[in-house]
Amino acid sequence: AIGDAGEVRCAYQMGKGRPVTAKLAAYKTIFIAFIVTVLFSGIFLSLKDVLPPLLTTDPTIQGMLAELFPLIAVGNVAMNIGMVCWALVGAQNRYYLATSIAAVSSLLVTVPLGVMMSVWLRIDLQGLAFAVVTGDTLTATLLTVVLLMSDWEKLSTKIQAMVAAEAEEDSDDSSSSSSSSSSSSSSSSSSSSSRSFK
């Protein structure tokens, strides 16, 4: 929800030609998302002795789940920051770039690490959790770098030009439809008058 709200706000400011405000909104969104995610991860960690017994009665599985809680907490922070940064890069009208970074990180980092941990090193759930956390952290890092290195003024100019072109196209479509409707109404009125004359 925080990422979606920041995406809408950032895209609105970019379309209005206010790149500085859009950049400030993006950075504030990342900061708020980080604070909220850290708080929820802390609450999650405090329940590591409470949740496993609710999920299973097997002591072995309970121990495995309790060992995973720190990795899951770190992964939660990385995953949420990555999702927020993905939305903010999308607000710059660069969804293709954001999706490509996420896909490459998953295919080239998460999947190979997961295979190596589980098949070659024969590590249990901690290996798979480590692979997922590493992939999410890499995605969040790359998307954050993209945001920090963005030319906000240039991107805002492109978005404004795109919005202006779409508005002009919509006005042309509406004018053509109104002219066609008026011509059809005039032709129908002329045909009715000719019938009445006959």
Side-chain angles (χ1 to χ4, degrees), residues 23-94:
K23 180 165 63 173
L24 183 61
Y27 293 165
K28 284 183 176 180
T29 302
I30 296 174
F31 178 73
I32 293 172
F34 178 75
I35 296 298
V36 172
T37 306
V38 168
L39 289 176
F40 276 98
S41 295
I43 295 172
F44 180 75
L45 278 177
S46 67
L47 299 175
K48 73 175 183 177
D49 295 327
V50 178
L51 292 179
L54 298 177
L55 298 174
T56 179
T57 56
D58 190 334
T60 304
I61 299 178
Q62 289 179 8
M64 293 174 65
L65 291 175
E67 292 173 353
L68 286 177
F69 271 56
L71 278 174
I72 294 174
V74 174
N76 183 46
V77 175
M79 181 187 67
N80 281 281
I81 296 301
M83 292 174 62
V84 169
C85 291
W86 182 91
L88 293 173
V89 173
Q92 298 176 339
N93 196 31
R94 296 197 288 178

Side-chain angles (χ1 to χ4, degrees), residues 71-72 74-83 85 101-102 105-106 109-110 113 128-144:
L71 278 174
I72 294 174
V74 174
N76 183 46
V77 175
M79 181 187 67
N80 281 281
I81 296 301
M83 292 174 62
C85 291
I101 290 174
S105 298
S106 297
V109 177
T110 304
L113 268 181
L128 292 176
F130 173 77
V132 173
V133 170
T134 304
D136 289 340
T137 304
L138 179 62
T139 301
T141 303
L142 292 177
L143 290 174
T144 303

Side-chain angles (χ1 to χ4, degrees), residues 114-198:
V115 172
M116 183 179 69
M117 292 291 179
S118 59
V119 176
W120 183 36
L121 299 178
R122 297 188 180 278
I123 301 177
D124 55 7
L125 289 175
Q126 288 187 357
L128 292 176
F130 173 77
V132 173
V133 170
T134 304
D136 289 340
T137 304
L138 179 62
T139 301
T141 303
L142 292 177
L143 290 174
T144 303
V145 170
V146 168
L147 282 174
L148 292 174
M149 297 181 63
S150 296
D151 188 349
W152 292 85
E153 288 79 8
K154 183 178 179 180
L155 293 170
S156 178
T157 304
K158 287 184 178 180
I159 292 175
Q160 283 181 286
M162 183 181 66
V163 171
E166 290 179 354
E168 183 179 356
E169 183 179 353
D170 291 340
S171 64
D172 291 340
D173 292 340
S174 62
S175 63
S176 62
S177 62
S178 63
S179 63
S180 62
S181 62
S182 62
S183 63
S184 62
S185 62
S186 63
S187 63
S188 62
S189 62
S190 62
S191 61
S192 62
S193 62
S194 64
R195 284 197 301 268
S196 63
F197 178 75
K198 288 179 180 179

